[in-house]
Amino acid sequence: MAKDTVTITDNATGKSIEVPVLRGTHGPPVFDVGTVYKELGMFTFDPGFTSTGSCESTITFIDGEEGILLYRGYPIEQLAEQSHFLEVCYLLWYGRLPSAQELSDFETIITHHTMVHEGLRDFYAGFHRGAHPMAIMVGVVGALSAFYHDSLDIHDHRSREISAHRLIAKMPTIAAWAYRYSRGEPFMYPSNKLGYAENFLRMMFGFPTEEYEINPVAAKALDLIFLLHADHEQNASTSTVRLAGSSQANPFACISAGVGTLWGPAHGGANEAVIEMLEEIEDARNISKFVAKAKDPNDPFRLMGFGHRVYKHYDPRAKIIRKSCYDVLDALKLDDPLFDIALKLEEIALKDEYFVERKLYPNVDFYSGIIQRAIGIPTNMFTVIFTIGRTIGWISQWNEMIGEKGLKIGRPRQLYTGEATRDYVRIDRR
Ligand code: CMC
């Protein structure tokens, strides 16, 4: 029987080593290159990590060829249909579905952590009124580490759990306040009577002077968006959180690093960029012009919300969100011309050889903005909404890594192509 190893041969020296192949529950196996440098004196080279597994994980699985996404083994479609965000938070953190009592206790804990330290309010005043809410998120989330010293012992499991509860609970408050600050409107405190998404809607849109009536369609749609964004294995922001965490930095600092990474338009910032693109397209008759631009190798323009490093198939989250767009617009009796443009754009792109050949399909960001617009979320808050949902994924992945035996600082190597060694030249001789 063939050995479960891969042989790596350096043809220059003729030296060969055998490295072990490791197999997970699902997905392609990996070969462990941990001994390559010691044995062959070479590093492996994979900028962009296109062939590199950076860690072992039990949290989320994606089969990009088949368009499958599992949280702790449960298909995203089943969770979207039958579960809700806080139950998914429990699942991701604790690794199993809660009993009714466990869920109720968890919801109570999260509800009672939604307030933020009053001192943190003062931070907002330091931001420019026109600051992007993601800029405020990066700052205020990082600042949590200056207020919650009692849960910063990363080697204590209970301390990590309290930090996770705090992050999940406070993120909507911090996010809604970022929006209120930009509007010059009063900050709304959370209400313990409300559910997670409901509370966020009230803090975003309510006023202390009157009762805020929750629209159940909006609350359900938002909860679904949080759930669908909850985790996505080793994406750029999650890998950032893990790398930051590997230095044993505190969880709030690590999550703040993740928020910064998520902001980029190639990652979570794409949802905002999609709406900007659809607005720019303006009319379905202009679509072919934009598709041509996206295909032009000399034009940096890309179809935002299209393509994915892992999915070479329709993103299962996009499929769920697309369907939800119909439900939400219908329930709210809205007609969004941008949704029509998005549908037409998808139809045209999916028939175009360029997109077919490269297996470029709509990703999670393509339709999520349509729902958010429908429930009144302004475009510059879209990535903030993504942040709220993804926090549980980041903190669960961080916790998994910190809990491992023999945690090592993440420290990639490089292929140096700069100047060879040379002598310093005194300034009067240059
Ligand atoms: N429009 C036009 N061409 C594209 C697009 C696009 N959206 N995405 C990829 N391509 C082309 C790309 O030009 C390249 O063509 P060629 O082989 O001729 O050079 C080929 O497809 C492969 O692209 P890549 O850049 O090597 O793929 P990647 O895995 O490095 O990038 C991506 C993945 C998501 C960054 C990229 O598809 C992209 O920029 N998409 C638009 C931004 C976006 O929607 N981002 C959200 C990602 S999903 C949610 C999240 O992560 O937050």
Side-chain angles (χ1 to χ4, degrees):
M1 203 174 89
K3 276 196 278 184
D4 221 2
T5 57
V6 163
T7 305
I8 302 173
T9 305
D10 176 358
N11 289 324
T13 62
K15 188 165 178 192
S16 272
I17 59 165
E18 282 196 8
V19 297
V21 170
L22 312 175
R23 294 181 193 278
T25 321
H26 292 306
V30 301
F31 57 91
D32 180 350
V33 294
T35 56
V36 170
Y37 177 57
K38 194 167 153 235
E39 300 290 337
L40 294 181
M42 279 190 229
F43 297 128
T44 57
F45 186 61
D46 183 20
F49 303 117
T50 54
S51 296
T52 296
S54 62
C55 63
E56 192 178 321
S57 182
T58 61
I59 302 175
T60 292
F61 172 72
I62 304 171
D63 183 332
E65 298 299 327
E66 298 295 327
I68 291 170
L69 170 60
L70 311 176
Y71 291 167
R72 299 282 190 187
Y74 297 102
I76 193 70
E77 294 79 4
Q78 291 182 23
L79 294 169
E81 181 73 29
Q82 299 174 56
S83 185
H84 57 88
F85 181 62
L86 280 188
E87 186 178 58
V88 162
C89 288
Y90 188 102
L91 171 68
L92 289 169
W93 179 267
Y94 296 102
R96 60 180 176 81
L97 288 171
S99 67
Q101 186 59 50
E102 284 168 334
L103 179 59
S104 158
D105 292 348
F106 182 68
E107 287 172 339
T108 304
I109 290 169
I110 298 302
T111 302
H112 287 89
H113 272 300
T114 48
M115 300 252 279
V116 295
H117 192 288
E118 278 294 295
L120 209 70
R121 269 184 80 115
D122 301 337
F123 269 71
Y124 287 82
F127 286 98
H128 191 285
R129 282 276 176 206
H132 193 286
M134 282 300 279
I136 299 182
M137 293 299 287
V138 174
V140 176
V141 172
L144 288 172
S145 41
F147 288 87
Y148 298 101
H149 298 136
D150 58 332
S151 65
L152 295 186
D153 179 2
I154 64 161
H155 301 294
D156 176 50
H157 172 75
R158 177 68 185 135
S159 184
R160 298 203 298 270
E161 188 182 30
I162 294 170
S163 286
H165 292 160
R166 284 179 166 152
L167 277 158
I168 301 163
K170 295 182 197 313
M171 209 52 105
T173 312
I174 294 170
W177 286 9
Y179 173 64
R180 300 307 288 245
Y181 179 74
S182 71
R183 311 257 306 172
E185 291 172 354
F187 290 177
M188 292 291 286
Y189 285 97
S191 159
N192 286 357
K193 283 191 295 205
L194 297 176
Y196 194 82
E198 292 170 334
N199 221 338
F200 176 69
L201 286 171
R202 182 176 158 277
M203 288 190 284
M204 277 286 288
F205 302 120
F207 284 91
T209 43
E210 55 195 48
E211 272 300 302
Y212 177 71
E213 213 177 298
I214 306 284
N215 182 331
V217 175
K220 188 165 176 253
L222 195 56
D223 192 85
L224 176 69
I225 290 193
F226 290 151
L227 183 155
L228 293 174
H229 288 84
D231 194 41
H232 213 231
E233 52 117 305
Q234 309 313 321
N235 56 82
S237 56
T238 303
S239 298
T240 302
V241 170
R242 279 187 176 258
L243 196 57
S246 77
S247 77
Q248 303 185 27
N250 76 70
F252 303 110
C254 298
I255 300 301
S256 155
V259 178
T261 306
L262 186 72
W263 191 4
H267 194 6
N271 51 15
E272 187 176 336
V274 169
I275 294 297
E276 283 160 6
M277 175 186 75
L278 295 174
E279 278 170 347
E280 218 187 312
I281 293 176
E282 206 183 352
D283 188 304
R285 283 172 295 192
N286 298 326
I287 289 175
S288 51
K289 231 178 7 194
F290 282 80
V291 169
K293 259 169 82 66
K295 288 157 51 172
D296 181 353
N298 300 314
D299 190 326
F301 174 76
R302 287 185 163 197
L303 278 194
M304 298 314 287
F306 255 78
H308 199 276
R309 169 61 61 79
V310 184
Y311 293 118
K312 302 301 164 199
H313 197 285
Y314 213 107
D315 180 336
R317 303 166 300 173
K319 226 183 249 174
I320 297 167
I321 295 182
R322 185 183 193 267
K323 181 181 171 298
S324 176
C325 284
Y326 284 106
D327 299 344
V328 171
L329 292 174
D330 194 39
L332 298 177
K333 300 191 175 32
L334 291 174
D335 183 18
D336 186 348
L338 293 194
F339 185 39
D340 299 331
I341 295 176
L343 289 169
K344 192 76 196 153
L345 176 56
E346 176 192 327
E347 188 190 322
I348 292 174
L350 293 190
K351 281 192 202 135
D352 191 294
E353 208 178 308
Y354 174 95
F355 292 89
V356 174
E357 231 174 53
R358 289 168 180 75
K359 300 186 179 169
L360 303 170
Y361 292 87
N363 60 49
V364 69
D365 294 316
F366 193 63
Y367 288 111
S368 69
I370 302 290
I371 298 186
Q372 297 191 56
R373 269 162 64 88
I375 61 178
I377 308 280
T379 315
N380 68 356
M381 283 294 288
F382 291 0
T383 314
V384 176
I385 300 285
F386 194 153
T387 306
I388 297 174
R390 183 54 55 85
T391 296
I392 178 60
W394 288 329
I395 197 71
S396 301
Q397 300 266 353
W398 170 84
N399 183 53
E400 180 177 67
M401 182 190 72
I402 299 292
E404 277 165 9
K405 271 204 199 108
L407 169 68
K408 267 200 161 101
I409 188 165
R411 183 21 172 125
R413 302 303 291 262
Q414 64 171 6
L415 175 65
Y416 174 71
T417 53
E419 298 288 348
T421 311
R422 49 183 173 166
D423 289 323
Y424 178 78
V425 181
R426 275 174 28 189
I427 198 158
D428 56 330
R429 298 209 182 139
R430 283 176 223 161

